[in-house]
Amino acid sequence: MHIVTVAEMRELEAQADRQYGLSSPILMENAGKSAADIFMAHLLPHHSMNGLEVLFLIGPGNNGGDGLVMARHLQEAGAFINLYYWKEQRLRIRDKDIAEPEVAKTLDEAIKSADYIIDSLLGTGRSRPLSEDMRALLKRVQQERKSRAELRIVAIDLPTGLNADTGAVDPGALHADMTITLACPKQGFFFFPGRDYLGDVYIGDIGLPADLERDLPTEMLTTNLVHSLLPERRLNSNKGTFGKVMIFGGSLPYPGSIFLAGSAAARVGAGLITLAVTEQMLPIYASSLHEATFAILPDEQAGSFERAKALIAHLEGYRALLIGPGLGQSPTTREVILQVLEHLRALPEEKRPRLVVDADGLNNLSAMEHWWTLLPENTVITPHPGEMGRLAATKVSGGDISRLDLAREKAKEWKVILALKGACTIIAHPEGQARINLLANPALATAGTGDVLAGMVTGFLAQGVQPFDAASASVYLHVLASTFVSQELGHAGLLASDLLPQIPKAINRAAVNAPSYPD
Ligand SMILES: NC(=O)C1=CN([C@@H]2O[C@H](COP(=O)(O)OP(=O)(O)OC[C@H]3O[C@@H](n4cnc5c(N)ncnc54)[C@H](O)[C@@H]3O)[C@@H](O)[C@H]2O)[C@H](O)CC1
Ligand SMILES: [K+]
């Protein structure tokens, strides 16, 4: 499922017309029909269509055209349809035109009696701020929604007032309960504040041949995509089949982080987890992660050379190495990292463990000049905005469109797979592709969830999943697992360790080829 800008969407539609004769009117018929089908599938079986009061706000362009086609299908299915043509200020109540002097009053009654209000005012063609009278209409609808919880607002293609490319919003933009977008999710959906205006997102099929999307650079993470990225789990396997993971991290102030990362690597199916810790730390893990083995490192006093030598000596045969969770930033630690990176760079590709650097691993790196030149190729880094700011020596937003260009630019410059975390995490590839997660869950804003994600990425790498795919699958499954917790606990109070048993369930959901997004 590709993500499009307005220009990319226009180009898709133009190609569809040129190459397949799929003209605007045909695409609009498909769009309206698909929107009606999604609407009815979402509604039934809880509600019947018969007698359902649906008010359509019809705009002057093709977005309005989509709405009119959808209205026709809903009427055929038994709904009572009211149409307000915004530009002409014309109102039709159940196929009867309302005399001009009565329009304002009757429109207000239609708003008050509607079960659903469909926003097909403006879509990707919005080219200027909303006019005062459109803002007034949308404000009236928003008021009604506030006062009548059972009213639902459905946006066609996107909520009017949302900028489809950037996620910026007009002051009068409409908050939808449900957005039925056509053909592809729009880039503005993945950035704030726009993300907050969408409600549940559904993607209507307008019949665009899939091969037209082939060269688009940005994809949305979906269950179907993750399904295609998961490693095979053949019957005749043993733990060696699914690779060995080494985790270098954990220090006294943050002992739990490598427990979380190690458990998560095991929960995505890695064959064996080894924690590289000092003798002093060992008892903490031996009692909490029974399945782990240990690479005992000399403590800090032994000096960085001895510590690095011990870690490197254990690395033989490991397919993935995670540096970072709870590591701390002592000068010795920095030295150890430098020596381990030098060792990794010297290894032949087929012998080199795939590397993930997270948390303090990143903070140690950002203190080094041209740190990115020290990394072996195909390293995955998983910074949150603060860590990214230190790595890139720039201010990094937690949610706006600037994240996408920065992620792309830095993945290319640093030659890394870059998972820039945030409400909609971006995974950027050095060659320019990017994948973005639409699923977001505020419950994840709690300590340790990043350790879990880093462990998941490492666990998939150990199973031979390519770095870009390992990061993509992990980001999606991490949030999906959190939604299983939130179904029970709500959106606060999730502990990072609550995610661990949910990870296999999330993988299972993707593995059984579940319907495409949303779940
Ligand atoms: N193009 C296609 O083949 C398909 C389009 N789809 C749907 O159509 C819209 C895009 O249609 P378009 O006509 O380009 O734009 P809009 O309908 O969003 O409206 C543009 C329309 O409105 C006027 N306008 C622009 N800004 C404002 C404003 N701030 N206030 C008032 N009026 C404004 C402008 O002059 C135009 O007349 C897309 O979103 C889809 O919903 C189909 O889905 C697929 C085929
Ligand atoms: K709309």
Side-chain angles (χ1 to χ4, degrees), residues 238-251:
N238 59 64
K239 63 177 181 297
T241 319
F242 300 115
K244 300 199 292 186
V245 163
M246 175 77 77
I247 302 185
F248 176 45
S251 58

Side-chain angles (χ1 to χ4, degrees), residues 334-345:
R334 207 160 292 173
E335 258 312 300
V336 171
I337 293 174
L338 278 172
Q339 289 171 47
V340 171
L341 292 180
E342 190 182 346
H343 167 74
L344 293 178
R345 290 197 310 274

Side-chain angles (χ1 to χ4, degrees), residues 9-31 62 66 183 205-213:
M9 188 66 219
R10 291 233 169 90
E11 180 49 28
L12 283 183
E13 288 161 2
Q15 278 181 30
D17 197 353
R18 269 197 313 273
Q19 292 175 26
Y20 298 90
L22 289 169
S23 65
S24 246
I26 295 173
L27 291 177
M28 202 179 297
E29 271 303 318
N30 296 348
N62 289 343
D66 287 354
D205 178 0
I206 65 172
L208 290 184
D211 68 305
L212 290 180
E213 291 181 31

Side-chain angles (χ1 to χ4, degrees), residues 331-360:
T332 331
T333 300
R334 207 160 292 173
E335 258 312 300
V336 171
I337 293 174
L338 278 172
Q339 289 171 47
V340 171
L341 292 180
E342 190 182 346
H343 167 74
L344 293 178
R345 290 197 310 274
L347 286 175
E349 165 83 8
E350 66 283 1
K351 283 195 167 298
R352 183 187 333 124
R354 284 276 180 271
L355 178 63
V356 180
V357 186
D358 180 44
D360 269 343

Side-chain angles (χ1 to χ4, degrees), residues 50-67:
N50 285 330
L52 197 75
E53 282 278 346
V54 187
L55 169 62
F56 280 78
L57 304 178
I58 302 292
N62 289 343
N63 193 245
D66 287 354

Side-chain angles (χ1 to χ4, degrees), residues 44 193 203 270 314 340 380 418:
L44 307 175
I203 297 155
H314 280 96
V340 171
V380 180
L418 168 58

